[in-house]
Amino acid sequence: MGKDVIIAADFKSAADTFAFLEAFGEERPFLKIGMELYYAEGPSIVKALKDRGHKIFLDLKLHDIPNTVKKAMSVLSRLDVDITNLHASGTVRMMEAAIEGLTRPDGSRPLLIAVTQLTSTDQESLENDLWIKEPMEEVVMHYARNAAKAGLDGVVCSPLEAEAVHTACGKSFLTVTPGVRFADGDVGDQKRVMTPEQAKKIGSDYIVVGRPITAAADPKAAWERCVREFCD
Ligand code: C5P
């Protein structure tokens, strides 16, 4: 899979998701299914979108003891998603167990990427709540290196961290970056943003774009603009 734009399908139901996709006609954009939609509709929403021809990033951010994550990943591998993820804070052993669980009998598996630190965690909550005293940038890079050590394919990170992650973990280690906004668009609640063009320049492999597409008057045109700016 090459560079691509992944639309965050942050909808509350299958009906809302399919209504949104009507605007795309025959096009089949890469979609991210998060907890809201998955918990509302269950595995059937993944199957329905795969059958329709969409690639799927299943964003469930697993974090539990290694054995439980291994078994859960084994179930998810049967859904035939293209990318899924977990929290790197679950330890290297948990990530290794996740890969074992995700690997199908024929040796194939979806791409597996890690969340390092959530962008909602700031330095203060890192130190006072999580009791981690190192600077955020170092924590993020340490977790990214742990993910690489466990054999994962990449991390979800801010576009601003993508370059450093590639330097530390190698060019082929994937960086999947949310926080993307058009130069002339609304930033909303995202704090550190980049345009699709800037994300391309700093070497993001996939951008995850929600509201700039889902809340656009013409979602298909907004998606096409993203693809043009990021992929061309
Ligand atoms: O609407 P917007 O473009 O901000 O959506 C970004 C998507 O990426 C949302 O689904 C959000 O939950 C997700 N995300 C994020 N920042 C992270 C991890 C995931 O914005 N660090």
Side-chain angles (χ1 to χ4, degrees), residues 116 136-138 140-142 144-145 155 157-171 173-175 177 194 202-204:
T116 54
M136 178 63 82
E137 297 74 22
E138 286 179 30
V140 166
M141 294 314 295
H142 182 69
R145 278 192 295 268
V155 288
C157 64
S158 154
L160 298 147
E161 293 156 358
E163 234 170 347
V165 167
H166 279 141
T167 305
C169 303
K171 271 264 166 285
F173 194 67
L174 300 173
T175 53
T177 62
M194 270 196 186
I202 51 90
S204 281

Side-chain angles (χ1 to χ4, degrees), residues 14-32:
D16 285 4
T17 308
F18 289 116
F20 166 74
L21 291 172
E22 259 172 41
F24 288 79
E26 296 301 304
E27 299 285 358
R28 295 292 183 263
F30 203 136
L31 300 174
K32 177 170 88 71

Side-chain angles (χ1 to χ4, degrees), residues 80 94 127 156 202:
D80 194 28
M94 186 202 80
E127 289 180 19
V156 184
I202 51 90

Side-chain angles (χ1 to χ4, degrees), residues 65-168:
I65 60 170
N67 187 52
T68 300
V69 169
K70 179 178 170 178
K71 287 182 176 165
M73 285 293 183
S74 164
V75 176
L76 294 185
S77 78
R78 297 199 285 274
L79 285 181
D80 194 28
V81 297
D82 299 279
I83 307 179
T84 191
N85 64 357
L86 46 62
H87 276 284
S89 55
T91 74
V92 171
R93 199 154 76 81
M94 186 202 80
M95 291 191 272
E96 287 169 346
I99 293 202
E100 278 176 42
L102 205 56
T103 305
R104 304 183 187 101
D106 68 359
S108 69
R109 65 167 173 80
L111 293 174
L112 182 61
I113 61 176
V115 173
T116 54
Q117 282 294 329
L118 293 169
T119 43
S120 50
T121 306
D122 58 13
Q123 188 67 37
E124 194 199 334
S125 43
L126 188 73
E127 289 180 19
N128 297 337
D129 299 351
L130 303 185
W131 208 240
I132 297 170
K133 303 297 181 185
E134 281 74 25
M136 178 63 82
E137 297 74 22
E138 286 179 30
V139 177
V140 166
M141 294 314 295
H142 182 69
Y143 283 24
R145 278 192 295 268
N146 279 353
K149 192 157 80 180
L152 267 70
D153 304 292
V155 288
V156 184
C157 64
S158 154
L160 298 147
E161 293 156 358
E163 234 170 347
V165 167
H166 279 141
T167 305

Side-chain angles (χ1 to χ4, degrees), residues 8 10 32 119 178 181 190 208-212:
D10 292 327
K32 177 170 88 71
T119 43
R181 292 294 179 266
Q190 293 281 14
V208 176
V209 188
R211 288 158 293 178

